[in-house]
Amino acid sequence: MARYICPMHPEVISDKPGVCPKCNMNLVSDSDVEDRTDNDSHHDNPKNHSDATHADLYACPMHPDVTSDKPGMCPKCHMALEKTKQSSHGGHKKSEHDKHAGHNPNMFKQKFWLSLALTIPTLLFSHTVQSWLGFELKFAGSEYIPAILGVIIFLYGGLVFLKSARGELAAKKPGMMTLISMAITVAFVYSALVTLKLVDGMDFWWELATLVTIMLLGHWLEMASVENAQGALDELAKLLPDEAELVENGKNRIVKVSELSVGDTILVRPGTQISVDGKVVKGESEVNESMLTGESKPVKKAVAAEVIGGTMNTNGALTIEVTKVGGDTALAGIMKLVEDAQTSKSKTQVLADKAAFYLTFIAIGAALATWIGWWIAGAEAGFILERVVTVLVIACPHALGLAIPLVTAISTTKAAKNGLLVRERMALESARNIDVVLFDKTGTLTKGEQGVVDIAAKNVSRTLSIAAAVERESEHPIAKAIFQYAHDQKVPEIHTTDFSALSGRGVRANVDGKTVNIGGPRLLEKLNIRLDDQLQAATDAASRDGKTVVYVVEEKTILGAIMLADVIRSESKAAVEKLHSMGKRVAMLTGDSEGVAAWVSGELGITEYFAEVLPEHKAETVKRLQADGSRVAMVGDGVNDAPALTQADIGIAIGAGTDVAIESAGIVLASSDPRGVSKIVNLSKRTYSKMIQNLAWATGYNALALPLAAGVLASYGFILSPALGAVLMSLSTIIVAINAQFLRRVEL
């Protein structure tokens, strides 16, 4: 029994053809998968390779790894598989397909520009165009120029569509390529017959030229969006410098970035780019990370701070320990994420494909109906043929071929520039319909690290100075948090002596001849010290909120209490407020206590939260929210968030999160800024709107033009001429292209 498998999600298996419910890609036969596997193992075995006689294979021009023993369509990009012969000897040759022009974006680009150059004189020497514009350009033999150039354009630019149409028909999925091929073939044959005076009528050479040229433009853009992801990818690749300054044995030397290994130390001077991912071991500076986050404000970097390859160091020298190289770097990961996004199909793209599929049969049916109708009406054969040809030419969806690719390319680029990395286009498209945004707390709304949130003391500055001086020598996370907070507040520095750690109770040191103890409630018990009413009230309030409280005791006197908690991201409150203003429910999910959850929610204005949720129950919480029909977006960063990210209608991962979380999400926030969620929703709405507008216009044109071309208004004295039909067809394409460009102006 045949099985059909998704090439992107092998776990999706069906006993009949169809589409993957996760990515909407066409399911492929498992025999094709086995064929590819066999081919791969064959190539891994030199002996078999040299001994075997190779049969014809069909390979995708864009994805050479996709092969089949029969014609069909590539499951990744839906291009027709091209026939290729394997080498019969030990060495590998490029496929026969590689010798042909026009099967990658650059070659399609070349075909478009040359076809455009030939189309211009075709238009200029067309009698129809000359009559419209009121000029005459004529010399001996000039009437044959449109025919000669039209033949060249058809053979040079049109054959690629004929080959792809053959693949569609072999796969029994007629679509865009079939429509294009039908239109240009009919126009070519009819025009040739008219030029050779075998048929009376008006030729279609200029319509054929514009048709091929415009469709080459559309296919070039579509293929570029699939292979290159978007224009920003090339720019991202350029961000990585070729060289780095290696610090080795006290000496510096310039080396290739490819020569660096994890653990190496490099020097990044002011005004230069950081070559690889790493950790600062010396120096302070500000780093421009706008290529990742879209934020122009530089980020301060000091010792222990992580830096990302491709970002720009601004005003200080940084010595960096290399932590990631090559394909493991953040930039490489981003490029892969965006590339993967482009290989997935959105529902709207699928809708466009279906429109092209049905339009094929509609065009053929309309052509037959036109022929039969006018034959019954007693029209002349030449007139009937002209009507049929006009119908078939107009049926070719110029605008439909550009409607989705243009919007996709622009929206993906815009997303990447704003720090929104779209792994699945379906996720971006669906974001507009989200009802509930469920945030994980730790690492998402908060930084996932302890920090000082409040100080209760009569003299806050002195209390903090003394605490920082004592904690300077400690390696405990709480001690580091206090010291860092004091450093940020720029409190006066105090020197200490006789530092010692008290097991289970805190730390002790001598400050100006006085003994200072710092610790929690157990320290107060040991020292037999009671809190006054004011400090007790502050402590009780902090405990209810789940905050950690440490006391600063000088001799037998309590100077104050320092409250610490998981630090809330500065952007989180604005993120919640923005989502509320968009009419979205916002909820929070955490494994922390009720007190902690209540405090964080209160600070951020979140009224709905789930506390003390075990990792294995997070997905159940998502299901609970979905039970009433709500569409849920889950935002998280950790391994334990992965099931919830997968269960949610849309999974959104924080860029600083784990690889598992990122792989489980459809969209990644590169900057770890939760405000990106509202940007996703906004971009989704605008993108979908442009797609629908373009589809409506593209299909609406055909719906209107086809009956007019067939002559339904002939009794009223109006018949759509081939020339006017071609003009309207080109105009619809221009409108679609301009409409897509407006997406660039959208402010997120």
Side-chain angles (χ1 to χ4, degrees):
M1 180 178 177
R3 298 191 310 165
Y4 297 86
I5 305 171
C6 175
M8 296 297 292
H9 301 91
E11 71 276 9
V12 176
I13 301 173
S14 175
D15 58 357
K16 56 183 182 292
V19 297
C20 173
K22 295 184 177 180
C23 63
N24 257 354
M25 288 182 64
N26 289 315
L27 304 181
V28 298
S29 171
D30 59 352
S31 61
D32 292 343
V33 177
E34 291 171 3
D35 288 341
R36 292 198 289 272
T37 304
D38 293 341
N39 289 333
D40 292 340
S41 60
H42 169 79
H43 283 261
D44 292 337
N45 190 329
K47 184 177 185 299
N48 291 342
H49 181 75
S50 61
D51 294 344
T53 301
H54 295 261
D56 291 339
L57 285 178
Y58 295 84
C60 174
M62 295 299 299
H63 302 93
D65 58 304
V66 176
T67 60
S68 176
D69 60 354
K70 54 185 179 294
M73 298 173 64
C74 173
K76 295 184 179 180
C77 64
H78 283 249
M79 285 191 65
L81 302 182
E82 294 290 337
K83 190 175 183 180
T84 178
K85 292 185 180 289
Q86 292 184 330
S87 172
S88 60
H89 53 78
H92 288 272
K93 288 183 179 181
K94 290 185 177 181
S95 69
E96 184 181 7
H97 173 82
D98 291 338
K99 299 177 183 179
H100 300 289
H103 296 287
N104 59 62
N106 287 332
M107 297 306 293
F108 263 98
K109 179 181 178 181
Q110 294 175 14
K111 281 180 175 289
F112 164 72
W113 285 115
L114 182 55
S115 297
L116 179 62
L118 296 176
T119 296
I120 293 173
T122 303
L123 292 171
L124 291 176
F125 285 97
S126 168
H127 176 73
T128 303
V129 175
Q130 290 182 16
S131 64
W132 283 351
L133 301 180
F135 75 95
E136 184 174 354
L137 184 62
K138 190 174 182 180
F139 54 82
S142 62
E143 65 271 21
Y144 295 107
I145 290 178
I148 295 170
L149 296 179
V151 170
I152 296 173
I153 292 171
F154 178 78
L155 295 176
Y156 176 71
L159 283 182
V160 64
F161 299 113
L162 299 179
K163 291 180 179 179
S164 293
R166 184 179 63 188
E168 287 186 347
L169 294 173
K172 298 180 180 180
K173 292 183 178 179
M176 194 75 68
M177 297 301 149
T178 303
L179 272 172
I180 297 171
S181 299
M182 187 167 58
I184 64 176
T185 301
V186 169
F188 174 78
V189 172
Y190 180 76
S191 299
L193 293 175
V194 172
T195 302
L196 296 172
K197 302 187 184 307
L198 299 177
V199 173
D200 292 330
M202 185 182 70
D203 63 65
F204 285 80
W205 292 118
W206 81 269
E207 291 96 331
L208 170 65
T210 57
L211 183 58
V212 171
T213 301
I214 291 175
M215 296 316 300
L216 282 172
L217 172 62
H219 210 57
W220 165 31
L221 291 172
E222 183 172 15
M223 292 182 68
S225 72
V226 171
E227 183 172 72
N228 300 324
Q230 32 85 1
L233 276 184
D234 292 335
E235 298 302 316
L236 288 174
K238 295 176 184 177
L239 290 173
L240 287 176
D242 297 325
E243 297 178 332
E245 189 171 349
L246 178 66
V247 181
E248 194 174 43
N249 299 323
K251 296 182 179 179
N252 297 4
R253 61 186 179 96
I254 303 299
V255 299
K256 296 288 186 182
V257 171
S258 58
E259 298 176 15
L260 293 175
S261 302
V262 174
D264 287 343
T265 301
I266 62 172
L267 175 65
V268 183
R269 300 181 184 276
T272 61
Q273 287 177 297
I274 299 170
S275 53
V276 291
D277 293 7
K279 181 174 65 176
V280 178
V281 295
K282 183 180 178 181
E284 287 188 5
S285 184
E286 291 184 334
V287 175
N288 187 337
E289 297 181 339
S290 59
M291 48 80 69
L292 285 175
T293 66
E295 297 289 339
S296 58
K297 186 178 179 180
V299 180
K300 186 178 180 180
K301 300 292 182 182
V303 174
E306 294 183 351
V307 293
I308 298 173
T311 55
M312 178 65 72
N313 183 30
T314 58
N315 55 8
L318 294 174
T319 302
I320 296 169
E321 179 185 337
V322 178
T323 57
K324 294 180 181 179
V325 294
D328 295 329
T329 63
L331 188 59
I334 289 170
M335 295 175 69
K336 180 63 169 65
L337 288 177
V338 181
E339 187 177 11
D340 289 345
Q342 294 299 326
T343 62
S344 64
K345 282 201 163 190
S346 70
K347 288 182 179 178
T348 316
Q349 181 63 64
V350 173
L351 182 61
D353 293 341
K354 288 182 178 179
F357 175 81
Y358 291 115
L359 194 57
T360 302
F361 298 100
I362 291 173
I364 296 173
L368 290 173
T370 301
W371 182 284
I372 295 171
W374 284 111
W375 179 72
I376 294 174
E380 296 181 356
F383 176 82
I384 296 175
L385 185 59
E386 182 183 85
R387 288 296 94 208
V388 170
V389 172
T390 303
V391 166
L392 291 173
V393 171
I394 288 176
C396 181
H398 278 62
L400 191 59
L402 291 172
I404 303 304
L406 273 174
V407 177
T408 296
I410 294 171
S411 65
T412 311
T413 300
K414 193 168 188 67
K417 288 182 176 180
N418 283 272
L420 313 175
L421 310 176
V422 183
R423 298 186 70 243
E424 298 175 2
R425 281 162 51 187
M426 287 282 290
L428 177 61
E429 185 174 310
S430 302
R432 73 188 194 280
N433 294 322
I434 286 300
D435 301 305
V436 184
V437 179
L438 178 62
F439 285 100
D440 169 58
K441 180 187 75 71
T442 307
T444 303
L445 292 175
T446 67
K447 294 182 178 181
E449 58 188 39
Q450 289 285 308
V452 177
V453 295
D454 195 14
I455 299 176
K458 292 181 179 180
N459 190 330
V460 173
S461 179
R462 183 170 180 272
T463 300
L464 184 58
S465 294
I466 291 175
V470 176
E471 298 283 22
R472 183 187 289 113
E473 303 295 329
S474 176
E475 293 296 321
H476 195 280
I478 289 178
K480 291 182 176 181
I482 293 174
F483 181 78
Q484 184 61 51
Y485 182 77
H487 177 77
D488 295 340
Q489 297 298 312
K490 296 182 171 58
V491 297
E493 291 188 10
I494 299 175
H495 297 285
T496 64
T497 58
D498 301 329
F499 173 85
S500 62
L502 306 175
S503 181
R505 298 196 307 272
V507 294
R508 175 188 295 162
N510 189 291
V511 179
D512 297 332
K514 296 181 180 180
T515 299
V516 175
N517 288 274
I518 300 177
R522 291 187 61 187
L523 174 67
L524 299 186
E525 293 176 7
K526 185 67 175 178
L527 298 176
N528 196 25
I529 296 176
R530 295 178 60 87
L531 300 174
D532 59 38
D533 292 342
Q534 188 175 357
L535 202 55
Q536 185 66 59
T539 298
D540 292 342
S543 298
R544 286 194 299 270
D545 294 339
K547 300 173 184 175
T548 300
V549 182
V550 297
Y551 303 96
V552 182
V553 182
E554 186 180 56
E555 298 294 346
K556 290 289 186 177
T557 302
I558 299 180
L559 299 182
I562 300 176
M563 289 74 171
L564 299 99
D566 188 2
V567 180
I568 297 174
R569 295 185 186 273
S570 58
E571 310 90 355
S572 295
K573 189 173 181 61
V576 173
E577 290 176 346
K578 182 64 176 177
L579 289 169
H580 279 155
S581 70
M582 299 173 78
K584 308 299 180 184
R585 285 170 57 194
V586 180
M588 188 185 74
L589 176 69
T590 181
D592 269 344
S593 66
E594 177 76 19
V596 173
W599 172 68
V600 175
S601 297
E603 290 291 311
L604 298 178
I606 298 174
T607 58
E608 189 175 2
Y609 63 86
F610 305 89
E612 301 178 10
V613 180
L614 297 175
E616 59 268 27
H617 295 157
K618 287 190 174 184
E620 295 179 7
T621 305
V622 175
K623 290 180 181 179
R624 195 187 313 171
L625 291 170
Q626 294 172 324
D628 62 357
S630 296
R631 286 156 293 194
V632 179
M634 171 68 191
V635 189
D637 72 313
V639 173
N640 57 22
D641 296 323
L645 289 168
T646 304
Q647 174 61 42
D649 296 273
I650 298 176
I652 303 173
I654 293 292
T658 64
D659 291 341
V660 175
I662 290 173
E663 287 297 320
S664 303
I667 300 175
V668 180
L669 304 181
S671 64
S672 301
D673 187 344
R675 292 177 298 179
V677 178
S678 61
K679 293 182 179 181
I680 293 169
V681 175
N682 190 20
L683 181 60
S684 175
K685 289 180 178 179
R686 300 300 185 92
T687 298
Y688 184 77
S689 175
K690 289 299 176 188
M691 285 181 173
I692 294 301
Q693 290 170 13
N694 280 1
L695 281 178
W697 182 266
T699 56
Y701 159 77
N702 289 95
L704 178 65
L706 278 176
L708 293 178
V712 295
L713 297 181
S715 60
Y716 297 94
F718 178 80
I719 296 180
L720 184 65
S721 68
L724 181 59
V727 171
L728 293 176
M729 185 168 55
S730 300
L731 182 61
S732 70
T733 303
I734 294 171
I735 291 173
V736 165
I738 293 175
N739 187 48
Q741 295 302 320
F742 283 125
L743 190 59
R744 298 184 185 274
R745 300 183 179 182
V746 172
E747 293 292 333
L748 301 181

